[in-house]
């Protein structure tokens, strides 16, 4: 019945929480450390305003390192440009800002042009960082950012996946050139494999038939092997570069760590064969925050160009930066892999909505082994 409602346009026929004026949410009113998080019951409900809007009652949300960084102001310059491209509103218009990039929940209202979703549908989504986040009762997104939640997962489990999935797929497919059809027996190295992006990427690549080597701490070896990693290098014991150097060369490196890795990891790639180094740790947002939009973007662009040029000319390997990209249809494919048992959620810690500050503290301690999830409703 929900599909029928959707086809006829559900805006006028579905029940909606429009009688409610405000909702419960965790917000920040300024950038800073843990003290800036504030719970409120007085955030206006984000109602459906456009034809392709989907309003979702959030059941669970999860946290990413980006939430910690955004709490401190990371990326504000570029994100504010995206929020308000013409600078029509006064500065600090992003506050009160709601963090939280993942959600699993239930559709409660749809715009008249929405064809794929209807009230009552269980969905999951990764929320672009320029939009209000999921540490709130309701979120409104466009239908293209939303996907049906895997039936085999609870909301808590489902909320652990969308943002890392969209990020990993953007990095491995768009930047790394991998896909289901061409990954068989490709040699891929994942650094920082015990965290959110890493634990998802291992499983995706194994589902695609790749050979996966990872770096992580010794006490994460059981976790990553359980998810399918073929070879595990403990970066805390001895010289990690030396150990990786003794292995057969790689087709793709997915770098979740950054630090000094770029200085020595290029030689681990197969030369002159289209191999790619893809890092998720780029200076773009830091540059625009510290130098302003124009100078920061130019500086970052120059850095990327120089490194890419140097690597392609010296050893024939591609050097690329990767970023999260919103993509509901991609999550449909992930949903199928999850329901087929090929990708498992890795929920390390779970907090009630009343303990969002404690969830942030957990994240701040680092050493993630999968994801930290918040039960919203
Ligand atoms: P997590 O915090 O979930 O995971 C990081 C993992 O790396 C932890 O398990 C940590 O465990 C491990 N680690 C730390 N240092 C090393 C090291 N030197 N070698 C190997 N492992 C290490 O982060 P995510 O997986 O969510 O994200 C990974 C990175 O990607 C982050 O830097 C994040 O900011 C970035 N990112 C960028 C995006 C973009 O759009 N560009 C989008 C999403 C993420 P331990 O310390 O115990 O070893």
């Amino acid at each position: 019945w929900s599909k029928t409602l959707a086809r006829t346009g559900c805006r006028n026929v579905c029940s909606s929480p429009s009688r409610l004026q405000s909702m419960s949410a965790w917000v920040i009113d300024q950038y800073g450390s843990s003290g800036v998080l504030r719970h409120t019951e007085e955030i206006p409900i984000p109602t459906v305003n456009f034809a392709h809007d989907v309003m979702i009652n959030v059941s669970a949300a999860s946290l990413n390192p980006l939430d910690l960084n955004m709490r401190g102001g990371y990326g504000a310059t570029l994100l504010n440009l995206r929020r308000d491209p013409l600078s029509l509103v006064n500065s600090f218009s992003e506050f009160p800002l709601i963090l939280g990039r993942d959600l699993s929940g239930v559709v409660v209202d749809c715009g008249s042009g929405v064809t794929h979703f209807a009230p009552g549908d269980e969905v999951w989504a990764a929320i672009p960082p320029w939009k209000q986040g999921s540490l709130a009762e309701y979120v409104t997104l466009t239908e293209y950012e939303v996907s049906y939640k895997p039936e085999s997962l609870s909301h808590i489990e489902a909320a652990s996946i969308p943002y890392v999935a969209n990020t990993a797929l953007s990095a491995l497919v768009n930047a790394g050139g991998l896909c289901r059809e061409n990954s068989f027996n490709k040699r891929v190295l994942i650094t920082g494999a015990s965290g959110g992006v890493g634990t998802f990427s291992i499983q995706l690549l194994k589902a695609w038939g790749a050979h996966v080597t990872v770096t992580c701490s010794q006490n994460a070896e059981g976790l990553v092997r359980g998810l399918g990693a073929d070879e595990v290098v403990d970066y805390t014991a001895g010289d990690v570069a030396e150990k990786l150097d003794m292995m057969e060369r790689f087709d793709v490196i997915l770098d979740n760590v950054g630090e000094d890795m770029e200085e020595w990891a290029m030689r681990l790639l197969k030369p002159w064969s289209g191999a790619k180094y893809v890092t998720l740790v780029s200076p773009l947002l830091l540059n625009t925050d510290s130098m302003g939009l124009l100078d920061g973007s130019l500086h970052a662009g120059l850095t990327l160009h120089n490194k890419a040029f140097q690597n392609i000319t010296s050893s024939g390997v591609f050097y690329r930066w990767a970023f999260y990209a919103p993509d509901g249809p991609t999550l449909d494919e992930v949903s199928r892999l999850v329901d087929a048992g090929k990708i498992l959620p890795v929920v390390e810690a779970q907090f009630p909505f009343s303990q969002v500050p404690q969830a942030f503290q957990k994240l701040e301690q680092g050493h993630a082994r999968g994801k930290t999830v918040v039960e919203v409703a």
Side-chain angles (χ1 to χ4, degrees), residues 3-117:
K3 295 285 188 315
T4 311
L5 274 185
R7 274 196 295 276
T8 58
C10 65
R11 184 71 183 93
N12 297 321
V13 288
C14 48
S15 64
S16 106
S18 55
R19 61 194 163 76
L20 303 171
Q21 305 272 305
S22 59
M23 65 174 183
S24 174
W26 283 90
V27 300
I28 60 170
D29 304 300
Q30 60 182 314
Y31 296 119
S33 54
S34 55
V36 297
L37 283 164
R38 172 174 70 92
H39 180 254
T40 170
E41 303 278 342
E42 288 164 6
I43 293 296
I45 286 195
T47 48
V48 165
N49 286 322
F50 299 100
H52 293 283
D53 279 355
V54 175
M55 181 176 175
I56 301 157
N57 186 194
V58 180
S59 302
S62 83
L63 296 184
N64 292 276
L66 181 64
D67 292 305
L68 266 186
N69 296 336
M70 280 178 66
R71 193 189 67 189
Y74 171 78
T77 307
L78 211 54
L79 294 176
N80 277 341
L81 178 75
R82 186 67 202 250
R83 291 179 187 118
D84 183 15
L86 302 175
S87 298
L88 295 176
V89 192
N90 60 340
S91 54
F92 307 117
S93 60
E94 70 266 40
F95 301 120
L97 183 66
I98 306 173
L99 302 172
R101 304 271 59 94
D102 296 282
L103 71 80
S104 182
V106 179
V107 174
V108 291
D109 199 5
C110 305
S112 58
V114 172
T115 53
H116 284 93
F117 302 101

Side-chain angles (χ1 to χ4, degrees), residues 64-66 69 163-164 167 191-198 215-217 219 235 255-257 259 280-282 322-324 366-371:
N64 292 276
L66 181 64
N69 296 336
Y163 189 77
V164 294
T167 300
T191 65
S194 46
V197 176
T215 68
C216 62
S217 302
N219 67 7
Y235 79 95
D255 180 8
N256 291 304
V257 173
E259 298 173 356
L280 281 167
V281 188
S282 87
F323 300 93
Y324 150 83
H367 309 298
R369 298 290 177 262
K371 298 284 298 177

Side-chain angles (χ1 to χ4, degrees), residues 46-359:
T47 48
V48 165
N49 286 322
F50 299 100
H52 293 283
D53 279 355
V54 175
M55 181 176 175
I56 301 157
N57 186 194
V58 180
S59 302
S62 83
L63 296 184
N64 292 276
L66 181 64
D67 292 305
L68 266 186
N69 296 336
M70 280 178 66
R71 193 189 67 189
Y74 171 78
T77 307
L78 211 54
L79 294 176
N80 277 341
L81 178 75
R82 186 67 202 250
R83 291 179 187 118
D84 183 15
L86 302 175
S87 298
L88 295 176
V89 192
N90 60 340
S91 54
F92 307 117
S93 60
E94 70 266 40
F95 301 120
L97 183 66
I98 306 173
L99 302 172
R101 304 271 59 94
D102 296 282
L103 71 80
S104 182
V106 179
V107 174
V108 291
D109 199 5
C110 305
S112 58
V114 172
T115 53
H116 284 93
F117 302 101
D121 287 345
E122 293 198 327
V123 294
W124 63 348
I127 305 173
W130 51 89
K131 292 192 170 182
Q132 288 288 45
S134 53
L135 292 172
E137 272 182 282
Y138 296 97
V139 167
T140 294
L141 297 170
T142 72
E143 62 176 325
Y144 315 111
E145 292 158 343
V146 179
S147 159
Y148 290 107
K149 157 189 168 292
E151 287 176 5
S152 56
L153 298 190
S154 67
H155 284 296
I156 291 283
E157 291 169 327
S160 69
I161 293 178
Y163 189 77
V164 294
N166 275 160
T167 300
L169 279 151
S170 165
L172 294 170
V173 178
N174 301 340
L178 296 172
C179 63
R180 189 178 45 191
E181 289 74 26
N182 72 4
S183 296
F184 186 72
N185 274 350
K186 286 265 169 67
R187 288 183 53 78
V188 184
L189 170 64
I190 304 171
T191 65
S194 46
V197 176
T199 51
F200 177 85
S201 302
I202 296 170
Q203 299 184 82
L204 179 74
L205 288 165
K206 289 313 295 176
W208 288 351
H211 180 279
V212 179
T213 301
V214 305
T215 68
C216 62
S217 302
Q218 193 270 329
N219 67 7
E221 177 165 357
L223 169 68
V224 296
R225 280 209 189 275
L227 298 174
D230 297 290
E231 295 186 68
V232 181
V233 175
D234 173 9
Y235 79 95
T236 62
D239 187 340
V240 65
E242 199 178 294
K243 289 184 204 167
L244 290 168
D245 230 351
M246 291 189 315
M247 293 180 168
E248 194 185 321
R249 295 290 176 255
F250 297 97
D251 296 288
V252 174
I253 296 176
L254 173 60
D255 180 8
N256 291 304
V257 173
E259 298 173 356
D260 66 345
M261 204 182 142
E262 286 178 19
E263 288 161 27
W264 51 264
M266 297 301 163
R267 66 172 187 265
L268 304 175
L269 287 164
K270 294 176 182 170
W272 306 106
S273 63
K276 297 171 187 77
Y277 179 91
V278 179
T279 181
L280 281 167
V281 188
S282 87
L284 174 63
L285 295 186
L286 285 175
N287 283 175
T288 52
D289 284 341
S290 64
M291 298 178 204
L293 264 178
L294 192 60
D295 285 357
S297 308
L298 280 174
H299 193 271
L302 210 59
T303 305
L304 176 61
H305 173 270
N306 289 345
K307 289 186 180 189
F309 183 76
Q310 186 194 344
N311 283 297
I312 195 71
T313 51
S314 63
S315 50
V317 300
F318 293 93
Y319 171 89
R320 291 179 177 167
W321 291 349
F323 300 93
Y324 150 83
D327 191 346
T330 290
L331 288 180
D332 291 345
E333 175 61 22
V334 175
S335 196
R336 281 188 283 276
L337 287 169
V338 170
D339 280 336
K342 307 249 182 204
I343 292 180
L344 302 172
V346 186
V347 177
E348 181 188 15
Q350 179 181 332
F351 291 85
F353 198 50
S354 58
Q355 290 183 11
V356 164
Q358 287 86 335

